[in-house]
Amino acid sequence: MTNQLTGSENEAGTPRAGSWMTATARRVVPLGLRQSLIAIVLGLAICFVVILLVASDPLAAFDSFIVGTFRSTYSFGSMIAIATVLVLTALAAAVSFRSGAFNIGTEGQLVLGGLVAAVTAQHLGVTGLVGQAVALVAAAVAGALWITIPAILRVRYRTNEILTTLMFNYIAADLALYLVNSYFRDETSGAVETPPLDQSMWLERILPPSAANVGVVLVIVIVTAMWVLFDRTRTGRRMEASGMQPAFAEYLGIRSHRYLFCSLLGSGALAGLAGGVAILGITHAYVSGFSPQYGFLGITVALIGRLRPVGILLAAFLYSTLMTGATAMQSTTDVPFALVFVLQGVLILLITSQRTGGKA
Amino acid sequence: MTDRPVPAAPAQDPPVLRLEGIVKRFGTMTAVDTVDLEIRAGEIHALLGENGAGKSTLMNCLFGLVQPDEGTILLDGLPVDVTSPRRALELGIGMVHQHFKLVPSLTVAQNVFLGSEPHTGPFVQTRTAEETVARLADEYGLDVRPDEKVRSLSVGAQQRVEILRALAKDVRILVLDEPTAVLTPAETERFFDVVRGFAARGLAVVLISHHLKEVRQVADRVTVLRLGKRVAHEAIGDVTNADLAALITGETRPVSSEVQRGTPGATVLEVEGLTLRNGRGVEVVHDVSLRVAAGEIVGVLGIAGNGQTELVEAVTGLRKPTAGRITVKGVDTTGASPGTVRAAGVGHIPEDRIGRGMAGYWSVDHNITAGYLDTDEVGGRLLSDSKASSLSARLMKEFDVRASSGRQLARRLSGGNAQKMVLARELSRQPDVVVCAEPTRGLDIAATDFVRRELVARRDAGGAVLLVSSEIEEVTQVADRVLIISAGRIVAEYADHRPSEAEVGRAMLEGKS
């Protein structure tokens, strides 16, 4: 459609920098429903092949993987708990992708958000709903702060945010480790973790004894709000224009930089909030390694959900079902949980290849 | 109009290529309907028709990109099956597409031989490749250096690389799909010399175009398609431009009905001493001043690349001037943001229709209503789909945007419909100032006519129109006042009469009146 060779100049007439450190305009084109479904079906097919190859009893493994989640209230509840966090990290990814930036740092923002939530909840002195709310807001603020530097670098100096946000993940992991070890560690525990939170700070469980909690309600509210933002507000429409075609947005008089900056901060805040929900809702203390890569998984979920809130809700449901199923499969058969990472890799591959190899 | 008889062919070689009864359907639509075509060695054969007439589909059948549903392709009188572009090249059929398929980071020679590099064992013979390219380039007068990176080439030079790619495969039949759409007038002239050279060396050239004038300049014979059917098949000397235009559009109205001159009122857009630098910091516009009054179309005419792109960007807020002043209705908009300039009452029909004027992955509805986000016509606090789509439906009807529905993706629109969509967004709010750049580039006759009428209508309703174009015919027919821009300066002005094409042509080339 467009000839990339003739586009040697982009917005505002600045020459396109050849450096891979510099962010050039990336168009974010959500997948069609058909492509999403193809990716899911192919991804599952490949998982089946892997199971066939490694399992001594493939049928039992299939059974646990696909329907194991629905066999007991406990595993169903675990699935809901995971989905709660995944929806938030996926929304975080979607907010940034939609406005034309790739926040790959949701994992780091989530970790720091989780730590800040734990510490706030521990030392706040206010308990109950208000205390929980303050801790969650603090988590969101932490996530937003953690992406501020990459966001400024991106907007001011066009530094490639994929690299900076990715690198900030490693800084976040080490920073969290240092802070917990030096200041917040539970001395009675052998693990790197903060002391358990007072029960009044826990997000109430809805399907005991599973980890499913009232965070679900918060997530449904946020999904609705995001749907309104993306589909029903002028802000959302302008954000989408900026992300899809910066030159077009500029021409329409949209201040793309402002939208980009705010989206990145919003993205960080959602990822931080996800960390807070995981801590207050699932682990009830900051536990080093509490995240089974919720941040990175969120990116997959966002893409499968076509960057749309409702799509993300469904994709997160599907993905958590498989994650819970994989846990069950690992305990009852000889197929390891790592199958989920195979699935993730295959999905990412399928999605990104469809994206770039799309029809002209 | 029915198929006219082929003029009695002089005693000549048999055709090198014959297409007989080609039919190609897409779903329920018949894109190419029982078309015959005959190409001889050493001729330049023009294939004319509006957007969507089936020209490209027919050629894609020939090049193996799509398979015809019915019909035969005969090469030297023998039926052949062109199953893929690779097969087409083996048969000696080459095609240069409108949108180039080159790798920017590779050299010219590497691109020419991509996938078929001359080699000894595992080693590519770079020198042989470069020498072959240099020899071909020299032989056919295609000025390009084999060791240069494609990234640094102009569009015209990239096109020459595409042509070399076909020539390196020893093609006998070369299909050029709207080759001049991307070229400046000067490049076009040079390009035609090259094409004539091909014919002189015995190549059969098929030129897809909708530019009558160009076709007349180079073609020996012409085939006209309309709605997938062949409607004429003639030697170029036997038909007039009016005949051809009528055949193409299926109507008999004159293409260039004389536009009445307007009656200018008070000055609305004023540019004073404007100086601009381009993206590389080179000063490309020097001290330009101009005024556009209400009810007036001012044409800025010049060969592409003489500063007009930057001038338009400055007036619309997309580029900050280094010196000078721009006012709209007395309000200073110098260096203001595009949003502010829009709010001051400026509509903009940009030169880069696809990259700037629309979001291809947005629906037509979204694209049109994007210009109405600051109004309550798309909803209250929250956007309303029903309000937006009824607004869009109304404007699509008013501006004759033909799409399957408002929800169709803009990238699926033909060039003419895409431009009408841009007009629907930009003109429907009745801006006091309209700035348009190359508004009819790449459009067929009917769409061109529509766009020009809309601009005149806006003028007659009291709008001030700044028409920046490199099409002499467009500016001299539509504008009330013509300014000639050359090397970033206004070098001539025609205010009291409409200049002849010869008059302005000289001024454009010489850089003075």
Side-chain angles (χ1 to χ4, degrees):
Chain A
M1 169 153 227
T2 46
N3 181 349
Q4 65 174 118
L5 296 175
T6 55
S8 56
E9 287 199 8
N10 47 19
E11 327 95 277
T14 35
R16 175 185 290 178
S19 162
W20 55 278
M21 274 294 289
T22 311
T24 52
R26 279 179 292 269
R27 289 171 195 191
V28 182
V29 179
L31 290 176
L33 180 59
R34 198 165 51 96
Q35 284 111 302
S36 275
L37 294 178
I38 290 174
I40 292 168
V41 169
L42 282 177
L44 284 177
I46 289 172
C47 281
F48 286 166
V49 172
V50 173
I51 291 176
L52 274 178
L53 290 176
V54 303
S56 49
D57 184 359
L59 276 181
F62 286 155
D63 184 68
S64 314
F65 189 43
I66 302 301
V67 293
T69 307
F70 303 99
R71 285 272 153 71
S72 70
T73 314
Y74 178 79
S75 54
F76 183 76
S78 307
M79 182 276 281
I80 296 289
I82 294 172
T84 309
V85 184
L86 273 189
V87 170
L88 290 175
T89 53
L91 285 174
V95 168
S96 78
F97 288 16
R98 272 182 168 253
S99 52
F102 289 81
N103 173 13
I104 309 296
T106 40
E107 190 67 33
Q109 294 136 23
L110 170 118
V111 165
L112 287 183
L115 177 59
V116 167
V119 172
T120 310
Q122 190 87 50
H123 301 282
L124 189 64
V126 184
T127 56
L129 267 182
V130 179
Q132 291 169 9
V134 173
L136 290 178
V137 168
V141 170
L145 283 176
W146 195 243
I147 202 179
T148 304
I149 291 174
I152 291 173
L153 288 173
R154 167 72 169 93
V155 172
R156 281 241 142 197
Y157 305 104
R158 293 159 55 82
T159 310
N160 191 328
E161 79 289 348
I162 298 183
L163 288 170
T164 51
T165 53
L166 180 69
M167 292 308 160
F168 265 62
N169 284 335
Y170 301 106
I171 306 176
D174 285 340
L175 181 65
L177 192 64
Y178 163 75
L179 288 175
V180 175
N181 260 331
S182 314
Y183 303 104
F184 305 119
R185 181 159 178 178
D186 180 1
E187 303 296 346
T188 64
S189 162
V192 181
E193 58 185 2
T194 58
L197 294 177
D198 183 80
Q199 201 160 347
S200 71
M201 295 302 283
W202 299 5
L203 295 177
E204 196 176 332
R205 299 228 142 141
I206 51 176
L207 289 172
S210 80
N213 58 70
V214 292
V216 167
V217 180
L218 178 67
V219 161
I220 289 170
V221 170
I222 290 177
V223 165
T224 314
M226 284 293 151
W227 175 75
V228 171
L229 173 71
F230 290 160
D231 274 38
R232 283 284 168 270
T233 67
R234 292 166 169 81
T235 306
R237 190 64 64 79
R238 291 182 175 130
M239 206 171 97
E240 196 177 310
S242 313
M244 220 171 232
Q245 204 148 320
F248 175 62
E250 182 194 24
Y251 153 84
L252 286 175
I254 295 169
R255 293 166 192 270
S256 300
H257 277 11
R258 197 173 290 182
Y259 284 95
L260 185 60
F261 187 74
C262 294
S263 308
L264 280 173
L265 256 55
S267 172
L270 281 168
L273 178 65
V277 169
I279 298 300
L280 298 192
I282 303 174
T283 55
H284 302 152
Y286 178 88
V287 182
S288 194
F290 75 95
S291 161
Q293 303 219 314
Y294 289 124
F296 288 114
L297 292 171
I299 293 168
T300 318
V301 171
L303 292 173
I304 292 278
R306 302 158 69 204
L307 307 185
R308 294 163 192 226
V310 177
I312 284 172
L313 199 61
L314 295 175
F317 189 76
L318 174 78
Y319 215 96
S320 337
T321 301
L322 297 179
M323 282 176 74
T324 319
T327 313
M329 178 176 69
Q330 177 167 257
S331 58
T332 56
T333 72
D334 49 354
V335 184
F337 181 82
L339 187 66
V340 167
F341 299 116
V342 173
L343 178 65
Q344 185 188 10
V346 171
L347 286 178
I348 292 267
L349 199 65
L350 288 169
I351 291 167
T352 48
S353 61
Q354 289 185 37
R355 186 175 291 267
T356 50
K359 283 151 261 146
Chain B
M1 216 158 288
T2 51
D3 200 343
R4 300 180 178 191
V6 184
Q12 223 172 352
D13 305 337
V16 54
L17 174 77
R18 283 176 71 94
L19 302 183
E20 283 178 359
I22 300 289
V23 177
K24 180 67 197 174
R25 299 183 198 90
F26 294 110
T28 56
M29 191 192 72
T30 308
V32 174
D33 192 356
T34 355
V35 169
D36 298 339
L37 185 68
E38 203 172 89
I39 312 287
R40 301 195 187 107
E43 79 164 341
I44 302 175
H45 194 116
L47 193 55
L48 279 171
E50 307 219 83
N51 299 332
K55 296 166 294 184
S56 296
T57 308
L58 182 64
M59 287 303 112
N60 287 343
C61 289
L62 174 61
F63 194 56
L65 283 165
V66 297
Q67 298 304 313
D69 296 318
E70 285 170 36
T72 336
I73 298 173
L74 297 151
L75 203 60
D76 297 323
L78 301 171
V80 289
D81 238 357
V82 190
T83 46
S84 68
R86 189 171 272 262
R87 180 77 189 123
L89 283 168
E90 283 168 14
L91 292 167
I93 305 167
M95 183 160 175
V96 175
H97 296 271
Q98 239 185 96
H99 302 299
F100 310 141
K101 293 166 171 137
L102 298 172
V103 184
S105 54
L106 298 183
T107 66
V108 169
Q110 284 169 332
N111 268 288
V112 168
F113 287 104
L114 199 62
S116 59
E117 293 82 359
H119 58 272
T120 25
F123 302 105
V124 175
Q125 294 172 314
T126 307
R127 182 118 58 86
T128 313
E130 290 186 353
E131 279 167 5
T132 312
V133 171
R135 183 176 53 73
L136 280 171
D138 193 49
E139 189 179 334
Y140 288 97
L142 293 159
D143 175 24
V144 58
R145 277 182 40 209
D147 59 345
E148 205 160 352
K149 291 258 195 287
V150 162
R151 190 190 358 246
S152 58
L153 297 181
S154 71
V155 177
Q158 287 176 25
Q159 186 175 54
R160 295 197 281 277
V161 178
E162 279 281 6
I163 294 172
L164 279 169
R165 193 139 85 164
L167 294 178
K169 301 276 186 328
D170 279 326
V171 299
R172 293 186 299 151
I173 298 153
L174 184 61
V175 182
L176 303 167
D177 190 358
E178 305 210 6
T180 57
V182 293
L183 301 183
T184 63
E187 283 178 317
T188 302
E189 283 303 320
R190 270 177 59 198
F191 176 73
F192 283 156
D193 285 340
V194 169
V195 172
R196 288 189 196 99
F198 291 160
R201 281 174 173 76
L203 243 72
V205 180
V206 181
L207 181 73
I208 303 182
S209 177
H210 44 230
H211 253 273
L212 289 184
K213 223 163 136 194
E214 292 179 2
V215 166
R216 181 158 297 281
Q217 241 179 310
V218 287
D220 301 311
R221 288 195 306 147
V222 48
T223 294
V224 182
L225 297 185
R226 186 169 75 234
L227 302 173
K229 289 201 169 72
R230 185 174 78 172
V231 293
H233 190 208
E234 324 249 356
I236 194 80
D238 297 352
V239 279
T240 64
N241 276 357
D243 285 346
L244 279 178
L247 285 165
I248 291 168
T249 57
E251 293 167 36
T252 45
R253 64 175 161 71
V255 197
S256 49
S257 49
E258 189 68 20
V259 174
Q260 295 295 310
R261 301 189 73 185
T263 44
T267 298
V268 180
L269 172 69
E270 201 169 353
V271 173
E272 281 288 333
L274 194 69
T275 298
L276 300 167
R277 289 179 201 282
N278 70 5
R280 287 172 195 82
V282 180
E283 195 172 295
V284 286
V285 171
H286 322 278
D287 192 23
V288 162
S289 299
L290 59 88
R291 288 153 184 252
V292 189
E296 182 185 41
I297 297 180
V298 172
V300 173
L301 178 63
I303 297 166
N306 274 284
Q308 51 273 72
T309 303
E310 289 81 4
L311 174 66
V312 166
E313 286 175 352
V315 172
T316 53
L318 291 164
R319 181 180 293 278
K320 308 285 171 242
T322 39
R325 222 167 82 90
I326 302 166
T327 53
V328 174
K329 289 186 291 177
V331 178
D332 191 337
T333 59
T334 319
S337 72
T340 313
V341 174
R342 246 166 209 280
V346 177
H348 177 194
I349 297 155
E351 185 179 345
D352 182 2
R353 189 180 307 147
I354 291 167
R356 187 139 352 246
M358 59 186 245
Y361 284 92
W362 260 5
S363 64
V364 174
D365 279 352
H366 274 25
N367 269 287
I368 289 179
T369 55
Y372 283 81
L373 286 182
D374 56 336
T375 69
D376 58 6
E377 290 195 57
V378 288
R381 281 181 64 87
L382 295 182
L383 297 170
S384 148
D385 277 345
S386 59
K387 270 186 136 178
S389 62
S390 70
L391 167 68
S392 167
R394 178 168 64 77
L395 295 179
M396 280 170 74
K397 202 164 161 217
E398 197 176 315
F399 286 85
D400 191 34
V401 183
R402 289 180 207 166
S404 58
S405 84
R407 302 173 64 167
Q408 185 183 333
L409 289 190
R411 66 200 291 260
R412 303 252 178 253
L413 293 177
S414 70
N417 281 311
Q419 185 71 325
K420 289 175 188 173
M421 176 183 78
V422 175
L423 292 184
R425 183 183 61 229
E426 297 300 311
L427 297 187
S428 61
R429 291 191 70 181
Q430 312 189 334
D432 296 310
V433 177
V434 177
V435 180
C436 49
E438 309 290 355
T440 61
R441 181 184 280 172
L443 302 192
D444 62 33
I445 296 171
T448 298
D449 208 52
F450 183 89
V451 169
R452 290 181 187 166
R453 275 170 212 268
E454 285 299 325
L455 292 178
V456 170
R458 187 82 281 277
R459 174 199 73 183
D460 292 343
V465 179
L466 182 65
L467 168 64
V468 177
S469 175
S470 53
E471 291 253 5
I472 297 180
E473 182 206 328
E474 173 158 278
V475 174
T476 53
Q477 283 180 9
V478 176
D480 299 307
R481 207 144 53 78
V482 178
L483 306 176
I484 308 292
I485 190 168
S486 176
R489 292 178 204 283
I490 302 290
V491 292
E493 175 168 0
Y494 304 89
D496 43 3
H497 70 291
R498 284 225 168 103
S500 72
E501 297 195 8
E503 231 177 319
V504 291
R506 225 174 303 124
M508 280 166 77
L509 288 172
E510 290 170 5
K512 54 184 188 291
S513 51

